[in-house]
Amino acid sequence: MKYGFVRAAAVTPSLKVADTEYNTDEIIKNIKAMAGGSIKLAIFPELSITGYTCGDLFLQDRLLAGALEGLARITEATAGTDMVVCAGLPLMVDNSLYNTAAVIHNGRLLGFVPKKYIPNYSEFYEARHFKKAPDETQLIIIPDASKGTIYCQSVGDMGASADMADILPEQNGIFNSIVPFGTNIIFAADNLPGFRLALEICEDLWVPLSPGAFHASAGAVIIGNLSASDDTTGKSAYRHSLVGQTSASLICAYIYADAGIGESTTDLVYSGDNIIAENGNVLAESKRFRNGIIYSEIDLERLVNERRRIGTFASSTAEIYQKNYTTIHFAFTNVSDTPLTRHISMTPFVPEDLKARADRCEDILNMQAAGLRKRLEHTHSRTAVIGISGGLDSTLALIVTARAFDLLGMDRKNIIAVTMPCFGTTDRTYHNAVSLIKETGATFREVNIKDGVTRHFMDIDHDPDDHSVTYENVQARYRTMILMNIANETGGLVIGTGDLSEIALGWSTYNADHMSMYGVNCTIPKTLVRYLVDYEAETTGNKVLMRVLKDVLATPVSPELLPPEEGSISQKTEDIIGPYELHDFFLYYHMRFGYRPCKVMHLASYAFNGKYDNATILKWMRNFYWRFFSQQFKRSCIPDGPKVGSVALSPRGDWRMPSDASVELWKSEVIQLQEESDAKAKL
């Protein structure tokens, strides 16, 4: 919980219809099983104390009394667990019976949330027994069910905010206590920012404008659903889609707990189809037709930051937020760090599922090609000019350009692919570049720049043996000049090859590879570039091209500006600036969610556990922040290029940052983390 994570569970216990003692025992058994496991929120199914399929037994006083007695025992069992537990039961309030969710924390009943929408179609006939939730939140007195009393009485309307201690300072059991009753309630943990819980019950999710939409508009970040959704063919897939999409549209965490084995099978079957989703991502899901517990950690900071980033969320929710909400305040006893069990990918830009990855690659290549197609068409370009080095980025740019030409019906011979060997060029990259151009069907053109660069060294009085930044950048700028001039000569555009990772780190020479007429790779991080090239290799159908692409993938990333050592690349980019997989990881969480360095480090320590130690991660993290801030001036004037993912650095689009912004806040936090890591290492 230190980094905004809270562990939540969806639970389907064993159940016997109408046996409240057995069901209560099973709920308590599950609560005890979860205690000590860092779970702070547990959602049980709809009417889980009685069973959902009781039918006309809901009209029996003994069942209703048994439900209240069970709730009293469950409430007592939560004492000392520091867990918010939501369990379902039928509840009489005044003269009506309601399908409700009881919300309990640490031995205290915080309130009841009644079901808003009562289905009475097809296999459902709830309106026979239950009444729709009232519009306003009330205070009710819980009767002493042990004395045979089951009728709760309302004692007045609820205010906008309440601390349970203010309602009843010493709640000694639930009987004769006063608690809130209403749909429009948010349960907020004062010592865990972002923990703002609201509830729906089953059908509430399925209506066109669900209570969840109002809950989110009122500030709820977590929505729990106590459900008893029977299974029919195809319903599970629809249910999963609905839960995932709801969590995405409301930018919330959604915990869906479904009734399972044990409910009556007189006419229906229930599968315990539990789901935990966060902003469109399913974090955990159960195996159907198996009762049990699923859990995962919800990233509250991620959800809050996402709502902050998407400006239309606040304006749209303001339009539907028309109801009076009550906030029930409480506090967790322990808010220490929550160990993560959810998967943290080393490559957040790249899907891990093979089919999803292939689909993503095809989609991205099509988007890149579509952007370039429009630019070529608009400028009436006769050619496209690309510098081909035999490296990953220029290879991807050539692949994309070939696709764009195919879309336009233009001859690939009008792609002018230029190799410009110089001091650092190796035979391996040169031969790969030549083969790549040939197999793609582009026009090969070679301009050896050694003599030209040497003459320029003489012009500026630079010693060729001085392999400083000038030595490297003269080559880079000379190559860009040649490409620009060939484009003028042939009536074409220079296609940029630089990727998102290089743009973020400023790993380009200003007004050299930093510049082009259209940058097709500008929103593709280096880790994703690899998969795009590999995807092309696997799908090309050209065995020679596949072999070349595979060798390009196996070649160390290098600008090849320094002379080779024994014929091999001497200048390896990742040895200089750090592993791209780390930098892409930092970039994703820094840009996408605005996390501070300590949280990025926390996630990285899980994702790269066993691959990089903390000292290595922090070393390159410090370098990332320094370069990201110091190199903004290059990003302030980068060429046009298509946005294809959720992170982009165009000054005209996603990222507007002063070129002279200070990095000190971020750097100081990384330094502190390094000092703490060093201190732990010495113990």
Side-chain angles (χ1 to χ4, degrees):
M1 290 160 64
K2 177 180 177 183
Y3 296 100
F5 288 102
V6 61
R7 185 172 292 169
V11 190
T12 301
S14 296
L15 180 139
K16 293 182 180 179
V17 178
D19 191 339
T20 56
E21 289 192 13
Y22 176 85
N23 298 338
T24 297
D25 288 342
E26 290 299 312
I27 290 171
I28 291 173
K29 183 189 299 183
N30 279 274
I31 290 171
K32 290 180 177 179
M34 291 183 285
S38 300
I39 292 173
K40 294 296 183 183
L41 173 62
I43 307 292
F44 287 84
E46 180 179 12
L47 297 169
S48 48
I49 296 177
T50 58
Y52 175 76
T53 50
C54 290
D56 285 351
L57 293 177
F58 285 124
L59 303 178
Q60 295 286 314
D61 287 355
R62 185 66 193 94
L63 182 71
L64 303 183
L68 279 176
E69 292 166 357
L71 178 62
R73 290 176 53 207
I74 293 167
T75 302
E76 184 179 357
T78 65
T81 64
D82 202 25
M83 190 189 309
V84 174
V85 172
C86 303
L89 74 158
L91 187 72
M92 281 291 299
V93 177
D94 295 332
N95 298 311
S96 299
L97 182 64
Y98 295 94
N99 179 343
T100 70
V103 182
I104 309 159
H105 173 250
N106 227 11
R108 171 163 285 185
L109 179 62
L110 299 183
F112 292 100
V113 177
K115 189 171 185 175
K116 183 73 172 177
Y117 294 99
I118 308 300
N120 216 51
Y121 59 87
S122 299
E123 66 265 41
F124 304 110
Y125 52 93
E126 287 185 38
R128 180 180 176 92
H129 310 115
F130 298 108
K131 184 179 178 181
K132 179 181 179 180
D135 291 333
E136 301 298 328
T137 301
Q138 308 166 13
L139 287 174
I140 62 173
I141 297 178
I142 310 301
D144 190 342
S146 64
K147 296 181 179 179
T149 308
I150 60 170
Y151 299 96
C152 302
Q153 293 183 348
S154 60
V155 294
D157 293 337
M158 185 74 181
S161 181
D163 187 309
M164 289 307 296
D166 295 335
I167 297 174
L168 194 65
E170 296 181 3
Q171 191 182 84
N172 185 18
I174 69 167
F175 298 142
N176 299 314
S177 64
I178 299 175
V179 295
F181 170 83
T183 300
N184 304 326
I185 301 177
I186 292 176
F187 301 90
D190 291 336
N191 57 345
L192 181 57
F195 190 99
R196 296 176 61 83
L197 168 70
L199 298 178
E200 296 184 321
I201 300 178
C202 200
E203 185 75 9
D204 292 345
L205 169 65
W206 301 71
V207 299
L209 186 57
S210 70
F214 293 96
H215 296 337
S217 73
V221 178
I222 306 170
I223 297 177
N225 188 307
L226 293 77
S227 182
S229 178
D230 62 304
D231 254 48
T232 55
T233 302
K235 190 174 181 179
S236 176
Y238 183 83
R239 187 188 296 122
H240 281 224
S241 175
L242 182 61
V243 170
Q245 181 55 43
T246 298
S247 74
S249 62
L250 300 182
I251 313 180
C252 71
Y254 204 100
I255 299 102
Y256 185 92
D258 190 22
I261 298 171
E263 290 287 357
S264 172
T265 58
T266 299
D267 292 300
L268 306 172
V269 175
Y270 297 83
S271 65
D273 194 11
N274 297 338
I275 309 162
I276 300 176
E278 174 190 282
N279 196 24
N281 300 308
V282 174
L283 302 178
E285 53 188 320
S286 63
K287 292 185 180 296
R288 292 162 62 207
F289 304 105
R290 297 183 188 178
N291 293 347
I293 302 170
I294 63 166
Y295 64 88
S296 186
E297 296 77 43
I298 296 164
D299 190 343
L300 298 175
E301 287 183 0
R302 176 177 184 170
L303 295 167
V304 172
N305 290 0
E306 188 73 348
R307 289 182 176 185
R308 176 185 65 197
R309 186 181 70 87
I310 299 177
T312 51
F313 179 83
S315 59
S316 63
T317 55
E319 293 178 3
I320 65 170
Y321 180 39
Q322 304 166 352
K323 298 178 179 293
N324 295 322
Y325 267 77
T326 296
T327 301
I328 302 300
H329 296 272
F330 69 98
F332 287 111
T333 304
N334 181 6
V335 290
S336 59
D337 187 19
T338 300
L340 298 185
T341 59
R342 62 186 282 175
H343 177 61
I344 308 298
S345 173
M346 289 190 290
T347 55
F349 287 105
V350 183
E352 295 186 336
D353 177 78
L354 294 179
K355 184 181 184 306
R357 183 190 302 165
D359 291 344
R360 178 77 59 86
C361 288
E362 180 66 22
D363 200 29
I364 289 173
L365 289 169
N366 285 334
M367 284 190 282
Q368 289 177 278
L372 180 56
R373 170 187 177 171
K374 168 67 177 179
R375 184 53 55 95
L376 292 168
E377 192 173 45
H378 178 74
T379 56
H380 304 288
S381 297
R382 299 195 303 273
T383 67
V385 180
I386 313 177
I388 303 298
S389 66
L392 277 171
D393 291 342
S394 62
T395 297
L396 177 59
L398 182 58
I399 291 168
V400 170
T401 304
R403 284 193 175 217
F405 268 62
D406 292 346
L407 290 171
L408 287 167
M410 294 176 65
D411 191 338
R412 289 188 181 186
K413 290 294 183 183
N414 290 326
I415 302 173
I416 312 300
V418 187
T419 63
M420 294 167 281
C422 197
F423 310 123
T425 304
T426 60
D427 290 343
R428 180 181 187 180
T429 55
Y430 174 78
H431 290 307
N432 279 341
V434 173
S435 298
L436 182 65
I437 295 167
K438 177 184 176 182
E439 295 302 322
T440 304
T443 294
F444 173 77
R445 189 161 176 177
E446 180 174 324
V447 180
N448 192 307
I449 66 171
K450 288 181 181 178
D451 291 343
V453 169
T454 300
R455 284 194 299 272
H456 189 63
F457 285 157
M458 295 173 61
D459 292 339
I460 63 173
D461 198 25
H462 180 80
D463 183 357
D465 293 328
D466 177 6
H467 294 175
S468 62
V469 67
T470 302
Y471 178 90
E472 297 185 34
N473 286 352
V474 164
Q475 298 173 67
R477 291 196 176 99
Y478 204 88
R479 285 178 170 132
T480 300
M481 177 187 71
I482 289 170
L483 294 175
M484 291 288 182
N485 291 338
I486 290 176
N488 290 159
E489 179 185 56
T490 61
L493 295 180
V494 174
I495 309 304
T497 62
D499 63 53
L500 178 65
S501 306
E502 293 179 342
I503 292 169
L505 296 167
W507 191 248
S508 59
T509 300
Y510 191 82
N511 206 33
D513 49 315
H514 156 259
M515 190 49 59
S516 68
M517 295 174 182
Y518 196 74
V520 293
N521 296 339
C522 64
T523 57
I524 314 295
K526 186 75 77 177
T527 48
L528 183 54
V529 170
R530 285 192 168 278
Y531 287 100
L532 289 166
V533 173
D534 186 62
Y535 172 78
E536 183 70 13
E538 294 294 332
T539 59
T540 178
N542 180 330
K543 292 184 178 180
V544 177
L545 180 58
M546 181 181 71
R547 180 190 59 77
V548 175
L549 293 175
K550 290 292 187 180
D551 197 57
V552 169
L553 286 163
T555 304
V557 177
S558 172
E560 289 195 318
L561 297 172
L562 296 179
E565 294 178 357
E566 299 180 354
S568 299
I569 293 172
S570 64
Q571 187 183 23
K572 297 178 181 178
T573 299
E574 292 181 288
D575 290 346
I576 302 168
I577 62 172
Y580 273 116
E581 60 183 348
L582 283 178
H583 286 307
D584 285 355
F585 187 92
F586 303 151
L587 176 66
Y588 179 80
Y589 287 104
H590 172 68
M591 288 286 299
R592 184 68 179 79
F593 301 111
Y595 289 162
R596 56 190 298 170
C598 64
K599 182 161 184 176
V600 178
M601 177 60 206
H602 182 67
L603 295 173
S605 67
Y606 278 92
F608 295 100
N609 182 34
K611 186 165 188 178
Y612 299 108
D613 59 24
N614 286 353
T616 301
I617 296 172
L618 286 167
K619 170 188 174 182
W620 297 120
M621 179 183 282
R622 185 171 179 176
N623 191 47
F624 168 81
Y625 285 110
W626 179 81
R627 293 197 66 92
F628 185 86
F629 276 79
S630 67
Q631 301 297 295
Q632 172 63 25
F633 73 98
K634 294 179 183 177
R635 297 191 291 269
S636 293
C637 55
I638 59 175
D640 294 353
K643 176 181 176 180
V644 301
S646 60
V647 175
L649 286 166
S650 168
R652 299 167 298 277
D654 288 57
W655 190 246
R656 295 162 178 83
M657 170 182 163
S659 296
D660 48 9
S662 173
V663 71
E664 288 306 312
L665 282 174
W666 290 262
K667 187 175 74 173
S668 62
E669 187 164 305
V670 177
I671 292 173
Q672 182 180 349
L673 290 170
Q674 287 179 312
E675 291 173 348
E676 292 172 357
S677 178
D678 291 344
K680 288 181 181 179
K682 292 178 181 178
L683 293 177

